[in-house]
Amino acid sequence: MLGVRDLLDRLDDADDLARIDERTHWADTAFAVSAEAARANGPAVLLTDAGGHARLLAGGLGGPDRLAVRSRDPWSRLGAALGLGFDAGYLDVLDALVAARHGGPVPAVEPAAATETVSDLRSLGLPAVSDTGVPAVTLGLGAHSKTADDAVDTDAVEWFPVRGSVRGSNGLRLSVPADLAADVAPGTTVSFALGTPPAALVGAIMRWVGETQVAGAPAIANAFGPVPVTSTAAGAVPAESEVLVDATITGRADGDDAGRAPETRREPWEDAMATATVEARAERVTVRENPVVPFSPTGAPMADGRALLSVIESARLYGRVNNYWGVAPVEWLALPAETGLGICLVASEILYAGFEWQLANTLFSFSRLFDKIVVLDTETRPMDLARAFDDIWVKAHPANDWEFSDSAAPAASAPYYRQDGATGANVYVNAAWDPRWDEEFIAPRVTFETMYPEALREAVRADWADMGFDHGDEHEPRGQRGDATGGGDE
C-alpha cells in the first residue's frame, strides 16, 4: 500500500506536485502558500524548508474543483493514494470505499520506519493554520488499545482522527471523537501518528463517521492493500508513519467549551460526529529521516480535509441507500467539496411517482452534514456541477418540485450559515424527469457535437485555437460517459 513517500512519487510522475525549496516558515507563510494553491486549483505543494525537521505536504489528498473543465478530478489524488490510479473514475473510488467497509486481511507486523528521536513537538515545524500562530495537528491519526495484552492486536486497537494544537514544547490540545474520549482518562497512554499511509487515515475517518457497523480501522485500511503495523505503547499504528508520538492524557474538556478547544480551525470530520477535547503531554517523538508531514490548509476552498470527507461520506451514503430498498437505483451520489458539503447531489432512477420524496427523506435521516438535496437523472455525469445546477432551473419548477420541511428540522452541521445551532427547514429539489411522462415529452440532451454540422464545429475549434484558448488534449475532459468518469461535454 502507498505510503506518503510513494504518494509523492505518484504525484511527481503525474506532474501534479510543486516543490518549493525557498523558505516558507511554518508560523506565517506555510499556510498562506498552501491555502492559495488549494484556492487556485493548483498542484499539490511540498514545502521542503519550513523551519523544522519536517517537510510539509499540502494538497496531497485534495483536488481541483469541478466548476470548469480540468485534467484532474477532485478525487484523482485520493484515488492514486489508495492504489486505484489517477485515472480512476468516480464510481471506481466509491465502490472501493464501500467494499473496504467490510475490512481486509489481518495487517502484517513490521518495525517502525520512524527511528530518530527529536527533542520536542515544536521542533517538527508543524504549520500554523490559524491567526494565533500555534503549530497545528491536521490529518492526524490516534491509536488507543482496549487491552494491554497484545500491543499489535489490531482487533483491540482503535484508530481515530485527530485535530489539535501544540502547546509549549510537548503539550497537546486535541479534538477527538467523543466516544473515544470517554475511554481515555487522565494517565492513559495514547499514540499519535502523522504522515500515515492515506488508507490508514481513510480507515480511521470511516470508522467514526456515521454508523459504526463497519470493520475496525486497521482492517478497513488493509482492504486497499497491505498496511503493515508496528507496536507502540498504546497499541498498533501504521509502520510507515512519518512521525510517531507517544503521549499521556493529562485532562479532558467538553467539546463545547470554546475556552479549552484547540487553537486551530475545525476539520470537516468534526462536523459529522460529536467531539471532545483532551489534553496530553508528549513523552517521546520519533521521526523518519527527513520526514514528510501532510497537512490540510483547513478553511481554504478544496482543502484536503474537506475533499477527503466529501468522498468518504458520499461513499457511505451511496452504499447505504443502494441497499435500502433491495434494489440499487442510485447511479452516483456526491457531497461536493465546492459547496462546503452542505448539498447532496444524487443521480437516481425514479422507480415510481413519489420515490424522490422517499429518497430525499432517507438521505436526510442518514447524515447530519447537509440540509439540501438535489435529485438528478442518471444521465447527469458525476460531479458535473454546472449540469447539475443547470437541471435545477431546467427541470424543477419552484412551485411543484421544491419541497421544504417544517421549520424545526435538525440543524445541519456543515453549512456555514448554521453554525449557531439554530433549526430551520430542509429542502430537496426534484430535478429529474417525471417517470410517468412519455419519452416524446422529455427534451433530449443537446451537445456541441449534436447541435452543429461538422464544418461549423471545425471552424469554431480553429477560431478557438487562434484566440489562444486551446490548451491541448491533456486539458480536455477525460470521460465522455455518464457512469464512472467525471468529464463533461465540450
Side-chain angles (χ1 to χ4, degrees), residues 81-148:
L82 296 179
L84 305 175
F86 269 97
D87 293 330
Y90 185 56
L91 291 187
D92 295 331
V93 177
L94 291 192
D95 288 338
L97 289 169
V98 170
R101 297 175 69 81
H102 302 293
V106 175
V109 179
E110 292 184 0
T115 57
E116 298 182 11
T117 302
V118 297
S119 58
D120 54 44
L121 284 170
R122 191 169 284 269
S123 68
L124 292 175
L126 299 179
V129 296
S130 66
D131 296 336
T132 62
V134 176
V137 174
T138 60
L139 303 181
L141 180 146
H144 167 61
S145 181
K146 302 173 187 174
T147 68

Side-chain angles (χ1 to χ4, degrees), residues 38-74:
R39 186 200 65 79
N41 297 297
V45 175
L46 180 66
L47 308 177
T48 62
D49 184 5
H53 290 290
R55 296 175 290 167
L56 304 178
L57 173 65
L61 300 176
D65 63 50
R66 294 294 292 169
L67 301 177
V69 173
R70 305 189 190 283
S71 58
R72 290 280 179 256
D73 292 315

Side-chain angles (χ1 to χ4, degrees), residues 392-402 429-430:
I392 293 176
W393 66 268
V394 169
K395 297 181 180 179
H397 192 288
N400 301 323
D401 298 314
W402 289 57
V429 179
N430 179 18

Side-chain angles (χ1 to χ4, degrees), residues 140-142 159-163 175-177 201 204-205 208-209 269 273:
L141 180 146
W159 289 355
F160 52 93
V162 171
R163 186 268 305 183
S175 178
V176 300
L201 182 59
I205 296 175
W208 291 94
V209 171
W269 61 262
M273 68 184 77

Side-chain angles (χ1 to χ4, degrees), residues 144-486:
H144 167 61
S145 181
K146 302 173 187 174
T147 68
D149 297 333
D150 189 345
V152 291
D153 182 1
T154 53
D155 290 332
V157 71
E158 288 281 14
W159 289 355
F160 52 93
V162 171
R163 186 268 305 183
S165 55
V166 177
R167 301 174 58 78
S169 296
N170 284 309
L172 286 163
R173 181 170 286 174
L174 303 169
S175 178
V176 300
D179 290 344
L180 184 283
D183 295 334
V184 288
T188 303
T189 298
V190 294
S191 293
F192 303 104
L194 300 175
T196 64
L201 182 59
V202 168
I205 296 175
M206 287 177 66
R207 172 66 181 83
W208 291 94
V209 171
E211 77 287 348
T212 57
Q213 289 81 21
V214 296
I220 294 174
N222 224 42
F224 296 104
V227 180
V229 298
T230 193
S231 174
T232 69
V237 298
E240 290 294 309
S241 300
E242 298 285 318
V243 177
L244 292 177
V245 180
D246 293 329
T248 301
I249 299 297
T250 58
R252 177 185 170 187
D254 292 334
D256 294 333
D257 185 352
R260 298 279 305 274
E263 299 93 334
T264 61
R265 296 168 175 162
R266 288 172 60 85
E267 286 211 71
W269 61 262
E270 296 177 80
D271 293 329
M273 68 184 77
T275 61
T277 299
V278 297
E279 295 184 347
R281 181 183 66 254
E283 308 291 353
R284 185 167 181 261
V285 183
T286 55
V287 302
R288 298 182 66 172
E289 184 180 357
N290 204 13
V292 181
V293 175
F295 77 99
S296 174
T298 306
M302 305 307 294
D304 299 61
R306 185 180 295 172
L308 187 60
L309 184 61
S310 167
V311 179
I312 290 175
E313 180 72 344
S314 297
R316 182 181 75 86
L317 295 175
Y318 169 76
R320 282 210 67 184
V321 80
N322 265 343
N323 287 300
Y324 192 72
W325 288 278
V327 294
V330 172
E331 181 74 14
W332 58 268
L333 184 149
L335 276 64
E338 295 88 335
T339 65
L341 310 183
I343 298 178
C344 175
L345 304 180
V346 53
S348 175
E349 292 182 65
I350 306 302
L351 301 179
Y352 45 79
F355 176 75
E356 72 283 352
W357 179 87
Q358 289 185 325
L359 176 61
N361 279 278
T362 301
L363 287 169
F364 278 131
S365 70
F366 284 167
S367 179
R368 60 184 285 181
L369 288 175
F370 49 83
D371 57 3
K372 296 170 288 292
I373 292 174
V374 180
V375 180
L376 303 163
D377 283 314
T378 55
E379 65 180 19
T380 306
R381 293 185 172 93
M383 299 293 280
D384 188 347
L385 293 187
R387 178 61 55 81
F389 292 128
D390 186 55
D391 279 359
I392 293 176
W393 66 268
V394 169
K395 297 181 180 179
H397 192 288
N400 301 323
D401 298 314
W402 289 57
E403 294 288 341
F404 292 84
S405 71
D406 61 52
S407 59
S413 55
Y416 295 112
Y417 51 83
R418 302 291 286 275
Q419 294 302 305
D420 60 355
T423 58
N426 292 335
V427 60
Y428 82 84
V429 179
N430 179 18
W433 296 121
D434 192 317
R436 296 168 294 185
W437 286 11
D438 293 333
E439 273 197 39
E440 61 197 76
F441 296 108
I442 297 178
R445 287 284 190 192
V446 290
T447 65
F448 181 69
E449 289 81 8
T450 59
M451 283 185 67
Y452 305 103
E454 177 61 27
L456 180 57
R457 297 202 303 268
E458 287 301 318
V460 170
R461 290 191 180 102
D463 289 344
W464 193 257
D466 289 344
M467 289 186 286
F469 296 132
D470 186 356
H471 301 293
D473 292 340
E474 71 275 13
H475 293 282
E476 291 299 317
R478 291 191 292 105
Q480 296 296 329
R481 297 183 295 114
D483 49 5
T485 57

